[in-house]
Amino acid sequence: MFKYFPTNYVWNLSVDLAIEMGARIGEIETMCAPLQDAARQPDAAATLAFRHSWEAMADRLCELAAEDEARGRLISAGDKLGRAATYLITAERLQAHGAPGRAALYRRFLDTFARGIALAGENCERVEIPYEGGVLAGLYVRAQGVSGRAPVLLQLNGLDSTKEMKYRVGLPHWLAQRGISSLVLDQPGTGEALRLHGMTARFDAEHWASRVVDWLEAREDIDPQRIGCEGVSLGGYYCPRAVAFEPRFACGVVWGANHDWRDVQKRRLEKEGSFPVPHYWEHVRWVWGARDMDDFMRIAEQVHLDGVVEKIRVPFLVTHGQKDSQIPLKWAERTYEQLVNSPKRELKIFTDREGGAQHSSFDNSANAGAYIADWVAETLGGRTTAAR
């Protein structure tokens, strides 16, 4: 794990995630060098300093992109806007719920990301899926080198990630190379669903996942028999739950298992394990729509997979980092052990040898992501060699 701030796990996690999303080390140095003292301060003042520094770099990149665009250099402009968006979402996810300016910062991030995608001509399309009188927003990435209907992998956020973060880390691109399309979703409790529409998380993930499968089945470029599901971090709970109760999924993958999130919360109350974001307890109450801590803990009691994964009857891959300090390795082993009815189950532990040993491989997503992409391609009928 790259530790720019020796005493601040949450900020190091954010920096490492930004690197995985394409941040440049020189820009990281410019943003982080002034923050060493702030990293040791209380959350509220420190996260505001973090925001100002990272937003300033985004401002600079947007100015440079405008100069590129004025000269007709649209690909270069799009690339700079893509990094600016990465820095904006990194700053936004550290702010407390209701922090002044957070909503505006998120909307700016969405606009910057969309503009960067359009100028760079990336293989990425924003889509909206009808749900509960509103929409769930997603990013759709098309398989490369496929004629006719392609397999697709639905990809789910964790507790505090967004569809754009998962897109930038790279799995949709790696899958597209292998002939697999991707739908990266802001499910209830994450991204746009939470921030713009007030859709909070729910333990019965199949409720919204089934609507997404309906939408995918209606597309003429998707093979309805080859729809898989993947989840990262808390998505390591949502994904198995959805696959267990939605039989149309053809396979499942967790990138960081999360078998018993209720137990993780109890341990965190006892100061065990690392937090992914500052203001953690306020954040989880916001995500789950809890009135107070008692209400949140009652909700958390439902967020586990005992008696659930036994219902999965399709191929399933469980991956986990050996050094995960947020979710203990034992929960990956528990998920694997209970996959007794899966015709093809696999447990892959990422170690220092191949990288990706930290939580959901934020220390090195490339090798871990390639392993997942290859497994999905082999399972859904993609390819593991370059298209000719």
Side-chain angles (χ1 to χ4, degrees), residues 295-312:
D295 189 34
F296 167 70
M297 293 306 292
R298 283 193 294 270
I299 293 171
E301 279 295 323
Q302 303 174 94
V303 189
H304 67 89
L305 296 171
D306 289 335
V308 173
V309 290
E310 292 92 339
K311 301 180 187 298
I312 293 175

Side-chain angles (χ1 to χ4, degrees), residues 8-18 21 47 50-51 54 85-97 99 102 105-106 109 158-162 165 191 195 233 275-280 283 286-287 326 359 362:
N8 196 320
Y9 172 85
V10 174
W11 282 22
N12 289 330
L13 169 64
S14 296
V15 171
D16 282 24
L17 283 170
M21 290 188 278
T47 54
F50 189 104
R51 172 184 171 173
W54 284 60
T86 290
Y87 301 153
L88 291 172
I89 193 59
T90 300
E92 190 272 351
R93 78 178 268 282
L94 288 187
Q95 306 306 304
H97 171 49
R102 182 176 186 178
L105 179 60
Y106 180 70
F109 153 69
L159 176 70
D160 57 290
S161 58
T162 71
M165 293 171 68
R195 290 163 173 82
S233 191
F275 289 164
V277 290
H279 325 284
Y280 178 78
H283 182 81
W286 175 42
V287 166
Q326 294 185 44
H359 180 65
F362 69 77

Side-chain angles (χ1 to χ4, degrees), residues 232-251:
V232 65
S233 191
L234 185 54
Y237 163 79
Y238 293 128
C239 170
R241 171 81 198 199
V243 174
F245 290 100
E246 174 45 79
R248 291 176 291 175
F249 282 118
C251 71

